[in-house]
Amino acid sequence: SQTIHQWPATLVQPVGSPLSLECTVEGTSNPNLYWYRQAAGRGLQLLFYSVGIGQISSEVPQNLSASRPQDRQFILSSKKLLLSDSGFYLCAWSVGTGGPGTQYFGPGTRLLVL
Amino acid sequence: GQNIDQPTEMTATEGAIVQINCTYQTSGFNGLFWYQQHAGEAPTFLSYNVLDGLEEKGRFSSFLSRSKGYSYLLLKELQMKDPASYLCACASGANNLFFGTGTRLTVIP
């Protein structure tokens, strides 16, 4: 069966500090991978998605970046965090079937920028 | 552009039936998903509709009308484990899911 891991679970960071969140998937090959952010009182916002190693699509301009160094690893980064980066960050995976495969979410990382 | 509307909050009694409506506007519509999200947790998949009609899965059913841009999630025999936010999401193209802000369901004993 497939499992998805995210770490850390919670993070408190000062404004201007760097960020690195990691997501790994087990039990599947060549998944589509996604990063979402959920701010308080708002819907899930797609930040990045990837259909393969080194292939990243950005949905929203921001000070975040994403990388996919391995097939089942997806990393979200920032060089300098802003207060507005606080939120619940969720990684998700789906199987690429040519259609909108169901996305399955990891447990999430709760980020607070102070 | 893309837009999803669903009620912010709903309240129902344990054992009752509740219907959560969702209307959407999107280009390149490729299906509609419903997710359940308990407080502080990640969303979990409930249902997917791409054709018009009703899909039933246990106590949960989901309906889609593409011509009306409308869907609903029906929860039967409400239980005390059902309080959560229920998220409606439109698939656009192969990889994009556009989520609504969710409907927070409260269940009264």
Side-chain angles (χ1 to χ4, degrees), chain B residues 35-78:
Chain B
Y35 283 81
Q36 180 190 58
Q37 186 176 24
H38 285 103
E41 298 182 7
T44 55
F45 169 73
L46 289 177
S47 67
Y48 171 62
N49 294 65
V50 65
L51 300 176
D52 286 358
L54 188 69
E55 295 279 346
E56 297 187 74
K57 191 185 295 184
R59 293 191 300 118
F60 295 80
S61 302
S62 55
F63 172 83
L64 176 67
S65 170
R66 295 177 66 135
S67 63
K68 295 182 179 179
Y70 168 68
S71 174
Y72 68 73
L73 179 69
L74 195 70
L75 289 74
K76 303 176 187 175
E77 302 171 12
L78 279 175

Side-chain angles (χ1 to χ4, degrees), chain B residues 2-108:
Chain B
Q2 304 195 64
N3 188 58
I4 292 181
D5 286 316
Q6 52 181 133
T8 304
E9 295 184 349
M10 296 187 71
T11 300
T13 305
E14 186 180 11
I17 299 173
V18 68
Q19 178 174 313
I20 302 174
N21 296 323
C22 171
T23 58
Y24 64 88
Q25 294 172 313
T26 186
S27 57
F29 180 77
N30 204 7
L32 189 129
F33 290 83
W34 283 95
Y35 283 81
Q36 180 190 58
Q37 186 176 24
H38 285 103
E41 298 182 7
T44 55
F45 169 73
L46 289 177
S47 67
Y48 171 62
N49 294 65
V50 65
L51 300 176
D52 286 358
L54 188 69
E55 295 279 346
E56 297 187 74
K57 191 185 295 184
R59 293 191 300 118
F60 295 80
S61 302
S62 55
F63 172 83
L64 176 67
S65 170
R66 295 177 66 135
S67 63
K68 295 182 179 179
Y70 168 68
S71 174
Y72 68 73
L73 179 69
L74 195 70
L75 289 74
K76 303 176 187 175
E77 302 171 12
L78 279 175
Q79 300 177 5
M80 293 311 296
K81 65 179 180 179
D82 294 331
S85 284
Y86 290 86
L87 313 180
C88 174
C90 284
S92 176
N95 289 296
N96 288 358
L97 270 191
F98 183 76
F99 281 84
T101 53
T103 297
R104 186 179 305 164
L105 175 66
T106 300
V107 178
I108 300 172

Side-chain angles (χ1 to χ4, degrees), chain A residues 32 34 36 38 41-44 46 49 51 59 88 90 94 98-107 110, chain B residues 30-31 33 35 37 39-45 48 87 91-102:
Chain A
N32 298 322
Y34 310 83
Y36 288 87
Q38 188 175 37
R42 300 184 64 179
L44 284 164
L46 179 63
Y49 70 89
V51 299
E59 291 297 303
F88 191 34
L90 291 154
S94 70
T102 299
Q103 293 185 22
Y104 298 95
F105 289 85
R110 201 164 298 279
Chain B
N30 204 7
F33 290 83
Y35 283 81
Q37 186 176 24
E41 298 182 7
T44 55
F45 169 73
Y48 171 62
L87 313 180
S92 176
N95 289 296
N96 288 358
L97 270 191
F98 183 76
F99 281 84
T101 53

Side-chain angles (χ1 to χ4, degrees), chain A residues 3-113:
Chain A
T3 56
I4 179 169
H5 305 278
Q6 286 186 247
W7 62 90
T10 59
L11 193 59
V12 180
Q13 292 284 96
V15 169
S17 64
L19 174 74
S20 181
L21 303 181
E22 190 162 343
C23 170
T24 58
V25 180
E26 297 176 357
T28 186
S29 296
N30 196 30
N32 298 322
L33 297 173
Y34 310 83
W35 277 112
Y36 288 87
R37 176 171 59 205
Q38 188 175 37
R42 300 184 64 179
L44 284 164
Q45 181 185 38
L46 179 63
L47 302 175
F48 301 94
Y49 70 89
S50 170
V51 299
I53 295 175
Q55 301 178 61
I56 309 293
S57 296
S58 174
E59 291 297 303
V60 182
Q62 60 217 317
N63 70 321
L64 299 170
S65 62
S67 62
R68 185 169 177 175
Q70 300 180 44
D71 181 43
R72 288 168 286 179
Q73 184 185 30
F74 206 22
I75 297 172
L76 183 69
S77 305
S78 174
K79 293 182 179 178
K80 287 186 177 182
L81 284 168
L82 307 173
L83 286 173
S84 58
D85 291 325
S86 293
F88 191 34
Y89 287 83
L90 291 154
C91 180
W93 69 273
S94 70
V95 175
T97 59
T102 299
Q103 293 185 22
Y104 298 95
F105 289 85
T109 295
R110 201 164 298 279
L111 172 66
L112 179 61
V113 182

